[in-house]
Amino acid sequence: MIQRVDLHTHSNASDGTDTPAELVTRAHEAGLKAVALTDHDTLCGLAEGKATADRLGDIEFVRGVEVSTGTEQGEMHILGLWVPEDAGPLEEALAEMRARRGERNQRILDKLDTLGVHITMDEVLAQAGGESVGRPHIAMALQARGYVKSITQAFDLYLGSTGKAYIPKDVMEPERAVSLMSGIGCSVIIAHPMLKPYPPGWIDEFVKRLLPFGLCGIEAWHSEHTDADARSCIGIARRYHLCVSGGSDYHGLNKPRIHLGIGYGSLMVTTDAFALLKHWREEQGLPC
Ligand code: AMP
Ligand code: ZN
Ligand code: FE
Ligand code: FE
C-alpha cells in the first residue's frame, strides 16, 4: 500500500487556521505517516506539533519553517526541514523578519486609515494565533469589521499587489536564508518553484546560485504544480543531484480547497520520497 506524507503545511502560528495540535491530529486522521509544519517566519508552533505527534503515535513530525526571499523574478520561498531545537542564528533572523512584518503591518493600517478604513493593530493581532502576523490577519480583521465581504475582496481592494493599501514585504537574500538554515543542519528546499512562469533556464540558474550555500532539494510535488511541473522539478533535481520534496501547502480554512496530504485531491508524496530525504541526511551525518 502506498503511504503518504505532507512536508509543507501552515498552522495558525502563521497564516493557517488550525492550531498545530489540530493540524497534526488531522494529518494523523488522514493516515499520513509524516507531517512537516512549515510556518512562515516562525518556529513557535513546532513544540506543540511535536508533542501532539508523540502523543498520537504512528506519525512522524518534522520541524520546519518557510522563509520568503527576494529575487529579480520576485519572491521565492525556501523551506527548512528538520530545524533543530536550538536554532540560534536562524531564530534571530526570523525574529528580525517578524519585526519587519510588524512595521509593514502598521504601514498598511496607516494607509488604510487614509482611505477611511479604520482598524487597529489589536484587532489584527486578535486574528493571529502565533507570532507571525501578516496580510491574511489584516484581511480577517477587515472582514470582521464588515469593511469587506470576504478575504478575497480584502486582497482585491486593499492588500493584494494591485490593492490600494499594498506595501511590499521585506524579504531575505536567498543565499542568506539557505546558509542560515543549512548552517544549523536543516534540509533546505526551494518551495513551489513552478508557481509562476519564469524565463527559460532561470530556475536552473537559481539552483546553481544556491548550491554552494548548502541547498539540499527542490519541492516537486505541490498543490499548485501540474504533473508536468513536477516532472520538470524532478529533472532539475537529477541535473544537480538534489533531493525531491513535496507537500500540500495546507492553510486550513484560509485555503479551504487544499487538504492535508492530497492537496486538491491528486497530490501524492510517498513515504519512499520521505525515506530518500532522510537517507540524504544520514549520509551527511545529520539527525532525523
Ligand atoms: P504576507 O506574508 O503578509 O505578505 O501574506 C502572504 C499570504 O497572504 C500568502 O501566504 C497567502 O496565504 C495570502 N494571500 C495572498 N494573496 C491572497 C489572495 N488574493 N487571497 C487570499 N489570500 C491571499
Ligand atoms: Zn502561507
Ligand atoms: Fe510559499
Ligand atoms: Fe507555504
Side-chain angles (χ1 to χ4, degrees):
M1 190 177 89
I2 295 173
Q3 294 183 309
R4 285 181 161 93
V5 303
D6 191 335
L7 303 178
H8 186 163
T9 72
H10 298 272
S11 74
N12 70 352
S14 65
D15 59 356
T17 56
D18 290 358
T19 64
E22 285 165 352
L23 187 149
V24 172
T25 303
R26 280 185 220 276
H28 181 259
E29 282 166 4
L32 302 185
K33 291 292 148 192
V35 64
L37 181 62
T38 54
D39 277 306
H40 303 276
D41 297 344
T42 181
L43 309 176
C44 78
L46 299 178
E48 181 182 316
K50 170 79 170 120
T52 308
D54 285 348
R55 184 167 50 74
L56 293 169
D58 204 33
I59 181 165
E60 224 174 296
F61 183 80
V62 178
R63 292 168 49 87
V65 68
E66 183 172 18
V67 175
S68 306
T69 71
T71 76
E72 67 279 12
Q73 291 294 328
E75 267 189 34
M76 290 296 287
H77 292 179
I78 300 186
L79 295 165
L81 299 179
W82 286 282
V83 177
E85 295 208 9
D86 181 8
L90 174 64
E91 182 55 68
E92 279 167 37
L94 296 178
E96 175 194 317
M97 297 311 290
R98 292 193 299 268
R100 294 214 216 142
R101 273 179 176 279
E103 291 161 18
R104 176 207 191 203
N105 292 339
Q106 187 57 59
R107 287 174 62 205
I108 294 175
L109 296 193
D110 292 346
K111 215 160 168 176
L112 283 170
D113 220 43
T114 65
L115 298 165
V117 175
H118 311 295
I119 54 170
T120 64
M121 189 60 84
D122 282 346
E123 288 173 79
V124 174
L125 294 177
Q127 299 292 336
E131 49 183 28
S132 178
V133 184
R135 287 181 295 163
H137 308 103
I138 300 177
M140 290 186 243
L142 286 171
Q143 190 181 12
R145 277 284 223 97
Y147 280 117
V148 294
K149 291 197 188 68
S150 65
I151 301 298
T152 308
Q153 194 183 30
F155 275 89
D156 288 347
L157 287 179
Y158 300 116
L159 305 173
S161 58
T162 56
K164 290 196 201 99
Y166 178 67
I167 305 272
K169 182 165 64 183
D170 278 323
V171 285
M172 233 188 252
E173 281 292 303
E175 286 83 355
R176 176 161 182 243
V178 175
S179 45
L180 269 170
M181 294 196 277
S182 72
I184 57 169
C186 298
S187 292
V188 184
I189 313 278
I190 298 176
H192 46 67
M194 301 284 153
L195 281 200
K196 287 191 276 179
Y198 296 102
W202 188 80
I203 301 289
D204 280 68
E205 291 307 314
F206 189 59
V207 165
K208 279 195 258 178
R209 182 178 152 188
L210 297 180
L211 280 175
F213 296 90
L215 184 70
C216 157
I218 181 164
E219 188 173 54
W221 306 288
H222 183 271
S223 297
E224 309 291 349
H225 278 184
T226 63
D227 289 348
D229 290 337
R231 280 195 297 276
S232 301
C233 289
I234 292 166
I236 293 168
R238 291 225 176 96
R239 284 202 283 289
Y240 303 103
H241 309 286
L242 293 172
C243 291
V244 182
S245 186
S248 63
D249 215 349
Y250 174 78
H251 280 73
L253 298 176
N254 281 343
K255 293 186 183 173
R257 293 177 51 227
I258 295 180
H259 300 282
L260 279 170
I262 56 169
Y264 290 113
S266 59
L267 184 76
M268 165 84 81
V269 188
T270 65
T271 45
D272 286 351
F274 184 58
L276 286 174
L277 279 162
K278 294 212 286 189
H279 180 71
W280 179 88
R281 293 185 62 79
E282 278 158 25
E283 282 187 330
Q284 308 279 317
L286 295 169
C288 289

